[in-house]
Amino acid sequence: MVKHQPLQYYEPQLCLSCLTGIYGCRWKRYQRSHDDTSKWELLWLAILTLTFFLTLIWFYFWWEVENDYNEFNWFLYNRTGNWDHWSIPILITTAAGFTYITGLLMLALCHIAVGQQLNLHWLHKAFLVVILGTTVLAMASIEQMWTEEWEVLIISLQATAPFLHIGAVAVVTMLSWIVAGQFARSEKAIFQICIILAYLAVLIALYLVPLTISSPCIMDKKDLGTKPRIIGHRGAPMLAPENTLMSFKRALENDVYGLQTDVMISYDGIPFLMHDSSLRRTTNVDSVFPFLSSEPPSMANWTDLERLNAGEWFLKDDPFWTVSSLSPSEIFEAGNQSICKLIDLLRLAKESNVTVLFKSLPLPPAHPHYKDRINITINTILASGIPQELVIWLSESDRQLVQKLAPGIQHASNVKDFKRLRERGITMLNLRYTEIIDEDIRESASDNITLNVYIVNKSWLYSVLWCAGVQSVTSDAANILHNVPFPIWVMPPDEYSLIWITSDLVSFTVIIGVFILQNYHLIRWRLGSIRTYNPEQIMLSAAVRRASRDVRIMKEKLIFSV
């Protein structure tokens, strides 16, 4: 009786099947290969790696500019005429693309780790090209339309760099398993040398990155300055419709130092609060006075302006995604707000003893009060009875006239010329947070000039500016910053150095261990102990160093039985 046994027995390899199936649609065993990857596939791996880093930068950038999402939405509103949350779809799309590319790269690295041939499916290649092109186009668009926003990357690194460095060290340390495996499998000494040199270059550069990290939050806690004062930007626009009495009252409830707004003059000479160049975004002018929709707000009479609803848009558009946090009574109040007159704001500020910062916006040449708008505004300030020192004039024009009519009013400028500021008696420098440098903070402090920074909505940014020594910030989020009792993190230099050196030493120790483990058979062979092996063991041990067709054939012979 002849007993037949199978020539070969293959154990199920579910994980390997999923790995090659998802990456290259090679679900069957016969479709897989240990042969060397083709040059074209290596090129696609390089494109995949490039796309990963570009999408990583773009995703990080768009995550960090959340502080300016409302500004971005307003910018697009001016271009398109329609208000929408443009920033959220961009964030979701970016996150999805980055997750997809990260998954593909991890699959590719797993292929390399197990010695499988890379063969990216054509559908993945198509998606890869689309994501790469979209990311490059998005970056180019930001460069063209919003160039100054790239500064957010540098500023955000002051808050995140120490922690990103530790994460990067951990990732590169984990990659040592793949690098060591490639070193062990390589049959050419020159390739081994290139692998080691390239990996060491990346490793050493990463270990030394902290020498270039500069963060104001790396400081002794005793050197931390006082908490920056908060100025409500158009009140508290996260809690109520901007530039309304409700908005200013909600800001005062959060202990703001001052209130910021913009002033226009109506056609019949009444100063009122409005920022936009039309009434469409923040009122119901389209349904009440359609003929005024495209006109500048200052070309309308106050008798018409006071009839407009200035709160329904807030409930409908929910510009800061905060309406759901309001109580029913607050929602009702917000929906019934009207345009606010300047004198009402000044009286409220006088009662609360808070500062008012405002900019007097220019009028169209055809406006009847085109030449006397400054006089009207100053007369309104004097009539309100508010102390002049509580008023800060933000407009660059007509300063001499303002100083003549109301010499007690304080002045702010957005021009970084400290000599000019001193000569003109300007007491506040008002800058966007992307424009300030350490020298500005030091010089403003030495000249006794208050440095105010706008628009600051996120706790991490507020913390960085606090550590840097900024005295005040203008914010849409007074309700959030008011509840920040201390910077998110402050770390003494010695403590940071200890963490840095310790993480590098642990990483290097792990990498040495991984290389020894991955090259164990190669080391034993070099030391001579390999002489005790039989030929089959030698061939199987070589599988650690190389993945070739000969290795596979030898394994199949070893399991053959009659």
Side-chain angles (χ1 to χ4, degrees):
M1 182 177 179
V2 179
K3 184 179 180 180
H4 297 279
Q5 292 188 6
L7 293 179
Q8 300 180 21
Y9 172 73
Y10 294 108
E11 293 183 0
Q13 297 176 312
L14 180 60
C15 291
L16 188 59
S17 296
C18 291
L19 179 66
T20 57
I22 295 174
Y23 187 80
C25 202
R26 294 176 298 164
W27 299 96
K28 304 296 183 181
R29 186 184 184 96
Y30 68 85
Q31 294 177 314
R32 299 195 289 269
S33 172
H34 288 280
D35 293 339
D36 294 337
T37 301
S38 68
K39 293 181 179 179
W40 282 111
E41 288 299 327
L42 290 176
L43 176 60
W44 278 109
L45 177 61
I47 296 174
L48 176 60
T49 305
L50 172 64
T51 306
F52 169 77
F53 283 108
L54 285 178
T55 53
L56 173 62
I57 293 171
W58 175 248
F59 180 54
Y60 177 80
F61 166 77
W62 200 252
W63 181 272
E64 293 300 330
V65 299
E66 184 183 1
N67 183 83
D68 302 328
Y69 278 177
N70 189 67
E71 179 183 338
F72 178 75
N73 293 336
W74 187 80
F75 172 80
L76 290 182
Y77 168 78
N78 284 337
R79 293 292 185 95
T80 64
N82 295 312
W83 178 269
D84 206 344
H85 295 294
W86 304 93
S87 51
I88 297 302
I90 295 176
L91 179 63
I92 294 174
T93 305
T94 300
F98 174 70
T99 302
Y100 174 73
I101 293 299
T102 302
L104 280 186
L105 185 60
M106 291 179 66
L107 289 173
L109 293 176
C110 289
H111 273 70
I112 296 172
V114 300
Q116 283 290 319
Q117 184 187 58
L118 292 172
N119 188 14
L120 186 63
H121 192 262
W122 66 267
L123 196 58
H124 287 318
K125 292 177 181 177
F127 283 137
L128 178 59
V129 171
V130 171
I131 292 174
L132 176 59
T134 303
T135 304
V136 172
L137 179 62
M139 289 181 165
S141 299
I142 291 296
E143 176 64 27
Q144 182 178 6
M145 298 187 299
W146 210 14
T147 304
E148 68 276 7
E149 201 67 9
W150 288 115
E151 295 293 329
V152 176
L153 280 177
I154 307 301
I155 298 172
S156 68
L157 288 175
Q158 295 180 9
T160 62
F163 309 101
L164 292 178
H165 169 252
I166 295 175
V169 168
V171 170
V172 173
T173 301
M174 289 188 288
L175 288 176
S176 65
W177 183 266
I178 297 176
V179 175
Q182 289 297 300
F183 179 84
R185 294 188 187 99
S186 177
E187 300 175 359
K188 297 181 180 180
I190 185 65
F191 187 67
Q192 290 179 325
I193 293 174
C194 290
I195 290 177
I196 290 297
L197 289 180
Y199 185 69
L200 282 178
V202 173
L203 198 62
I204 292 172
L206 193 58
Y207 285 167
L208 298 179
V209 158
L211 294 175
T212 65
I213 292 177
S214 175
S215 172
C217 293
I218 300 178
M219 62 184 301
D220 292 321
K221 294 181 180 180
K222 62 181 178 61
D223 297 328
L224 183 65
T226 57
K227 180 178 179 178
R229 296 171 297 191
I230 302 170
I231 298 172
H233 183 236
R234 306 174 200 166
M238 287 190 177
L239 304 177
E242 66 180 57
N243 280 329
T244 62
L245 274 180
M246 179 184 178
S247 182
F248 296 120
K249 289 177 181 178
R250 295 303 302 272
L252 293 174
E253 291 173 6
N254 287 279
D255 297 329
V256 295
Y257 161 74
L259 303 169
Q260 183 275 339
T261 188
D262 303 281
V263 177
M264 292 186 181
I265 309 294
S266 67
Y267 198 80
D268 50 356
I270 305 297
F272 66 99
L273 311 183
M274 181 64 59
H275 171 267
D276 292 10
S277 58
S278 76
L279 295 165
R280 292 184 62 244
R281 182 176 69 90
T282 57
T283 71
N284 61 342
V285 67
D286 285 335
S287 59
V288 180
F289 301 115
F291 61 92
L292 291 177
S293 294
S294 58
E295 293 292 327
S298 55
M299 297 302 287
N301 286 313
W302 175 250
T303 51
D304 293 332
L305 293 171
E306 65 179 350
R307 293 174 57 188
L308 297 176
N309 183 292
E312 291 178 349
W313 73 273
F314 175 78
L315 302 178
K316 175 186 175 183
D317 295 337
D318 195 8
F320 293 96
W321 315 285
T322 53
V323 170
S324 60
S325 66
L326 302 181
S327 66
S329 61
E330 290 171 337
I331 291 176
F332 178 79
E333 183 182 1
N336 288 277
Q337 292 297 299
S338 58
I339 296 177
C340 181
K341 292 193 291 186
L342 173 61
I343 194 165
D344 292 334
L345 170 62
L346 295 173
R347 288 170 178 167
L348 178 64
K350 176 186 175 183
E351 293 173 3
S352 305
N353 195 36
V354 297
T355 300
V356 176
L357 299 82
F358 69 86
K359 181 182 294 185
S360 177
L361 299 180
L363 301 177
H367 197 283
H369 299 287
Y370 175 72
K371 295 183 178 180
D372 62 346
R373 65 181 177 89
I374 301 298
N375 300 72
I376 294 175
T377 304
I378 296 299
N379 289 337
T380 303
I381 294 173
L382 298 177
S384 70
I386 187 174
Q388 293 185 24
E389 60 270 16
L390 290 181
V391 179
I392 300 179
W393 186 271
L394 291 174
S395 301
E396 292 294 332
S397 59
D398 300 303
R399 287 195 188 278
Q400 292 183 346
L401 178 59
V402 173
Q403 290 172 337
K404 179 181 178 181
L405 296 175
I409 288 180
Q410 305 297 307
H411 289 262
S413 175
N414 58 5
V415 179
K416 287 198 296 184
D417 185 343
F418 287 93
K419 181 180 178 181
R420 175 176 172 272
L421 297 180
R422 290 191 298 268
E423 291 175 349
R424 299 193 177 188
I426 296 175
T427 58
M428 175 181 284
L429 179 60
N430 190 49
L431 297 176
R432 193 174 192 269
Y433 70 92
T434 55
E435 298 174 343
I436 63 170
I437 57 177
D438 292 340
E439 185 179 349
D440 297 332
I441 299 173
R442 290 192 298 268
E443 193 164 353
S444 62
S446 63
D447 289 348
N448 198 28
I449 294 175
T450 300
L451 178 59
N452 183 67
V453 179
Y454 65 92
I455 302 289
V456 179
N457 294 333
K458 291 300 172 182
S459 298
W460 71 263
L461 180 56
Y462 185 65
S463 298
V464 169
L465 296 172
W466 185 347
C467 293
V470 169
Q471 293 118 318
S472 67
V473 300
T474 301
S475 175
D476 295 319
N479 55 310
I480 295 175
L481 303 188
H482 169 66
N483 295 316
V484 178
F486 197 77
I488 292 178
W489 65 273
V490 174
M491 191 182 302
D494 293 341
E495 183 179 330
Y496 174 62
S497 298
L498 178 62
I499 295 175
W500 161 32
I501 295 172
T502 301
S503 62
D504 287 356
L505 289 176
V506 171
S507 168
F508 189 73
T509 302
V510 171
I511 290 172
I512 294 297
V514 167
F515 267 83
I516 292 175
L517 182 62
Q518 283 276 48
N519 292 272
Y520 172 72
H521 295 292
L522 181 61
I523 294 173
R524 291 194 63 185
W525 181 36
R526 295 264 173 99
L527 292 177
S529 60
I530 196 67
R531 289 192 297 269
T532 62
Y533 283 20
N534 58 47
E536 289 82 0
Q537 287 175 314
I538 294 174
M539 192 62 188
L540 287 175
S541 299
V544 178
R545 297 191 298 110
R546 75 182 198 183
S548 66
R549 183 173 177 273
D550 294 336
V551 175
R552 188 170 66 256
I553 292 174
M554 178 59 73
K555 288 182 178 180
E556 292 171 355
K557 287 181 178 179
L558 290 175
I559 63 173
F560 175 80
S561 62
V562 179

